[in-house]
Amino acid sequence: MTDTAGWQRLIAEQGLELLERWEQGGLEPAEAYRLLVLLGRVEQLPVRAPELEALRDRAARANVTPRLAEKVSLPEGSELLEELSQALEAGDGPEALHTILLDVDDLATALDLLGNNARAVELARRAADQVAKATGLAVPLSGWAEGRLATMTSRSAAVALWKQVAGERALLGRHVVFISHSLQPLLRQAASASWTLEPVSGSGFELFESEGRLVLWLEVPAGSPRPQAIELRLRVGAREGAWSYRASHVEKGGIYVDLGAPEELRQRAVQTLGALPAANEPLEVIAWLTSGEGDDPVPST
Amino acid sequence: MPKADEEKGAPRMALPIRTPWERYAHVLRHLYDPAERWDLIISGLPMPLRPRAIEAGCDAADVRNPRSARFNDAGAACKQHVLTDHDRFYSPAYLDSVASAIRLRRHQLQPANGATLYVGDNGVLTVVGGEKEDAGYVTSAFRVKPRGVPSHAVRQEDFIRAAVDRMKELTVLGPQGGRGEGP
């Protein structure tokens, strides 16, 4: 359920406070831009709310919108799109990505209010295209995006952007990539009291130690949905077991997985397999990545 | 570590960003971003930060364009420099943000993932994880850039207002929107 009333309340409270200060001649440029965005959001609403009607009427009587337009320096759409590109490619956290998406939304909303609908729609469309190309990165924001869509009419300029983000939810649970690496030397070393890890690397993975913990870096092919979970599956002959980790950090081209202390990894392997493999037994270690949430089970295709 | 019986999302003191590679990434992306103007809130912050990091051994392309930076590829001197900046400047600022946000009651629960957002009197928006291994740890901290004003004219008050506005917006909509705490 979406709290559109909370959204309207935010607009009304902040809008009235800023409008009163505007009428007293006291808004700084950033505040003037904020008021412009809030007035634009009033126009987007699909329903009429009395407190927002009052805000709109009061602003119209004072001819606020064109006067605000003279006061503010609108952000450059191209700069916002570049910042969005940075946030998407860097795999920044959902809150930072959300913030820049809202910056784009704000500008589209302000442009729309000022009669520049074509520029506003184009900005939102280009931002939506970027989200689509960064498959899966905006999945955590899809619920919020559905809520935002409920606060605007279908004619609002920012619709394309939030429809794209809301649609990202469809990517959840998709099996993305299958990677197989032999981590047998690692497990054998981990069982040793005098264990020290030499960094291990191979095609598409690196294994290193950081602050007493084992860290696995796995390459993720460009264009894959953002992995959120990893399952480590061990197999020795007929014995097989698996457990899951969260992908703790995503950066360009790969993810980091914190495997814990060496002893924890060894104990998990022992619990899963019953015993560590004998020296002459081949141990297969497979990492499965999914774009599913948390510890969702990984499809065994 | 936070106590297990603490109410989910309840305000509490936070622990620094958990892993070195996340610290590295966040320092490059946020502390070193001149537009975030950390110099307005951290006294003694050695400026300019990016050239300083390059001088310390970081790759210029990674510093200027953090999206291409990879922790594993960074040299030891660069890692040490960036992680020291985390400990000396970045983490005190974001931990102070959490502490003062609790005093100011300026925090909101993010219902979608159990994280809590804080905006302290320094205007840093700090996210503290609420689930699994992230619980109690800072997962992100950044300065929300005020828009509608040229960067040379931006004021600290603009940063605070922008962060508070975004915190409210980020938590008000969504599947369980409107369950935030604080103001």
Side-chain angles (χ1 to χ4, degrees), chain A residues 14-23 35 55 58-59 64:
Chain A
Q14 294 185 2
L16 283 170
E17 180 230 322
L18 289 171
L19 185 56
E20 278 175 13
R21 290 184 40 220
W22 166 262
E23 289 166 349
L35 180 55
L55 173 63
R58 191 166 158 181
V64 167

Side-chain angles (χ1 to χ4, degrees), chain A residues 1-7 9 98 140-148 169 293, chain B residues 8-9 108-115 131 167-181:
Chain A
M1 200 176 138
T2 292
D3 183 15
T4 52
W7 182 257
R9 202 164 46 244
H98 201 162
L141 310 180
S142 57
W144 192 96
E146 286 170 7
R148 178 72 177 102
R169 190 192 290 276
E293 285 178 314
Chain B
K8 185 179 178 184
Q108 302 268 161
L109 175 65
Q110 175 73 286
N113 59 11
E131 293 180 343
M167 176 183 71
K168 291 178 178 175
E169 290 165 355
L170 264 52
T171 52
V172 76
L173 290 174
Q176 304 166 64
R179 280 179 40 210
E181 313 167 71

Side-chain angles (χ1 to χ4, degrees), chain B residues 110-170:
Chain B
Q110 175 73 286
N113 59 11
T116 304
L117 278 56
Y118 298 84
V119 178
D121 52 12
N122 61 9
V124 176
L125 197 159
T126 305
V127 184
V128 177
E131 293 180 343
K132 300 179 184 169
E133 63 266 45
D134 282 339
Y137 287 93
V138 171
T139 58
S140 186
F142 56 96
R143 304 254 290 162
V144 178
K145 295 169 193 166
R147 307 294 183 180
V149 55
S151 59
H152 66 269
V154 72
R155 306 168 311 150
Q156 169 61 2
E157 300 94 294
D158 298 329
F159 274 103
I160 295 173
R161 172 149 208 143
V164 171
D165 289 345
R166 282 293 181 253
M167 176 183 71
K168 291 178 178 175
E169 290 165 355
L170 264 52

